[in-house]
Amino acid sequence: MKKNRKLSDLVRRIGDGRISFRLAEERDLPIIREWWKDPSSKFYFNRRKTFTDKGRIKLAVGALAPPINYRPREGNRNLFPDEIPMIVEAVFSDRKPAVPIGIFVLEKIDWGKGEASFRIFVDSRYRRLKYGLEMMILIFDFVFTTLEFTRLYASTISRLNDRTEKFMIQVGFRLADRIKKYVKRGDERYDLVTFEIFPHRAERVRNKFQENRDRIMQNYRVYSHEGSL
């Protein structure tokens, strides 16, 4: 990565294949609000901070604008945002524009330690199209190569989202922490589990994907029936 590039340039768009990520904009608010109404989005949008209003979009994207060069874990890091919202787009035809299919948020960013968490919500109409692994490869490249971070992690609710747990293991994450009975849903309590991955492991997953792409794509489905991480 060139050290003289601005952070806003680095995150403007990620990927150029059938799946890509781009910065969320005000024009995305209508579809984000529709996703928010989806009953299966409860695991994604149950946080106090969502991206369903213009102010949140402006705040998050505007924080990427400081006219300073991006240097991983070197000075000025307090000027950078603690979260980056991006729209997931898919190309279904060479003759048609990319279609928004979900939202990816890199969050809880610690620019000093070089680590972050993330969440992905996928529109229920596109969850069976086997994009999950391709999304993760893009995320690995962005986090570990572009931003030069050293750790990526994500949390989910055990038993309520078993398919997501299996998916995380399949794409190279390992169990980092389990907090017993941390989340209450109705009369039941569930564990909060956290998975993590480091650059060397992500690189092995990416290489395996490239070497065996056609066969691997037959075995992966995109996320869980809940549709989110």
Side-chain angles (χ1 to χ4, degrees), residues 48-145:
R48 177 179 60 84
K49 294 190 300 182
T50 67
F51 293 95
T52 55
D53 66 89
K54 186 182 298 185
R56 287 298 307 153
I57 293 290
K58 277 190 172 182
L59 178 63
V61 175
L64 298 172
I68 57 178
N69 296 335
Y70 174 66
R71 296 182 176 86
R73 299 176 297 284
E74 296 177 13
N76 295 321
R77 59 177 177 259
N78 291 332
L79 294 177
F80 293 126
D82 62 0
E83 56 193 0
I84 301 174
M86 308 197 79
I87 297 297
V88 183
E89 292 187 329
V91 175
F92 298 107
S93 170
D94 292 339
R95 290 170 290 190
K96 294 183 179 180
V99 176
I101 66 169
I103 185 169
F104 157 65
V105 181
L106 192 67
E107 60 181 5
K108 301 178 182 176
I109 303 174
D110 189 321
W111 298 96
K113 292 182 178 179
E115 63 180 33
S117 180
F118 74 99
R119 285 178 179 264
I120 298 178
F121 174 81
V122 178
D123 189 311
S124 59
R125 294 171 292 178
Y126 306 107
R127 290 177 195 159
R128 298 298 180 185
L129 298 182
K130 301 182 180 180
Y131 288 144
L133 183 57
E134 288 180 274
M135 291 183 193
M136 290 310 308
I137 298 300
L138 281 180
I139 292 171
F140 291 161
D141 286 344
F142 173 54
V143 172
F144 296 128
T145 302

Side-chain angles (χ1 to χ4, degrees), residues 4-5 33 71 73-74 85 96 100 123 128 154 163 172 177 195 212 214:
N4 61 351
R5 296 190 65 184
R33 289 171 180 148
R71 296 182 176 86
R73 299 176 297 284
E74 296 177 13
K96 294 183 179 180
D123 189 311
R128 298 298 180 185
R163 292 187 184 181
D177 191 26
F195 295 90
N212 306 281
D214 292 339

Side-chain angles (χ1 to χ4, degrees), residues 2-207:
K2 295 181 179 180
K3 301 297 184 180
N4 61 351
R5 296 190 65 184
K6 296 177 182 177
L7 180 60
S8 56
D9 295 331
L10 295 176
V11 303
R12 189 63 55 189
R13 177 173 287 277
I14 303 168
D16 56 6
R18 69 170 189 164
I19 288 291
S20 62
F21 302 148
R22 62 167 174 79
L23 276 177
E25 302 173 2
E26 289 183 28
R27 64 187 171 98
D28 300 311
L29 287 173
I31 193 168
I32 292 175
R33 289 171 180 148
E34 285 301 311
W35 291 333
W36 184 83
K37 295 175 184 177
D38 185 333
S40 69
S41 71
K42 59 186 176 181
F43 289 111
Y44 184 87
F45 289 111
N46 64 356
R47 302 170 63 237
R48 177 179 60 84
K49 294 190 300 182
T50 67
F51 293 95
T52 55
D53 66 89
K54 186 182 298 185
R56 287 298 307 153
I57 293 290
K58 277 190 172 182
L59 178 63
V61 175
L64 298 172
I68 57 178
N69 296 335
Y70 174 66
R71 296 182 176 86
R73 299 176 297 284
E74 296 177 13
N76 295 321
R77 59 177 177 259
N78 291 332
L79 294 177
F80 293 126
D82 62 0
E83 56 193 0
I84 301 174
M86 308 197 79
I87 297 297
V88 183
E89 292 187 329
V91 175
F92 298 107
S93 170
D94 292 339
R95 290 170 290 190
K96 294 183 179 180
V99 176
I101 66 169
I103 185 169
F104 157 65
V105 181
L106 192 67
E107 60 181 5
K108 301 178 182 176
I109 303 174
D110 189 321
W111 298 96
K113 292 182 178 179
E115 63 180 33
S117 180
F118 74 99
R119 285 178 179 264
I120 298 178
F121 174 81
V122 178
D123 189 311
S124 59
R125 294 171 292 178
Y126 306 107
R127 290 177 195 159
R128 298 298 180 185
L129 298 182
K130 301 182 180 180
Y131 288 144
L133 183 57
E134 288 180 274
M135 291 183 193
M136 290 310 308
I137 298 300
L138 281 180
I139 292 171
F140 291 161
D141 286 344
F142 173 54
V143 172
F144 296 128
T145 302
T146 301
L147 298 183
E148 299 182 21
F149 279 10
T150 57
R151 178 177 179 256
L152 179 68
Y153 64 97
S155 298
T156 189
I157 302 173
S158 184
R159 288 196 293 146
L160 290 184
N161 221 352
D162 287 341
R163 292 187 184 181
T164 291
E165 291 188 55
K166 292 178 181 178
F167 177 80
M168 297 291 280
I169 296 298
Q170 286 177 324
V171 296
F173 285 79
R174 71 176 189 183
L175 181 64
D177 191 26
R178 178 184 295 271
I179 304 178
K180 296 286 187 180
K181 299 181 179 180
Y182 184 79
V183 180
K184 186 176 182 181
R185 290 287 189 272
D187 295 329
E188 295 284 335
R189 284 194 168 274
Y190 302 89
D191 297 351
L192 180 70
V193 292
T194 299
F195 295 90
E196 65 183 1
I197 193 168
F198 300 93
H200 64 280
R201 179 62 178 169
E203 179 67 12
R204 288 201 296 269
V205 173
R206 187 183 69 82
N207 290 340

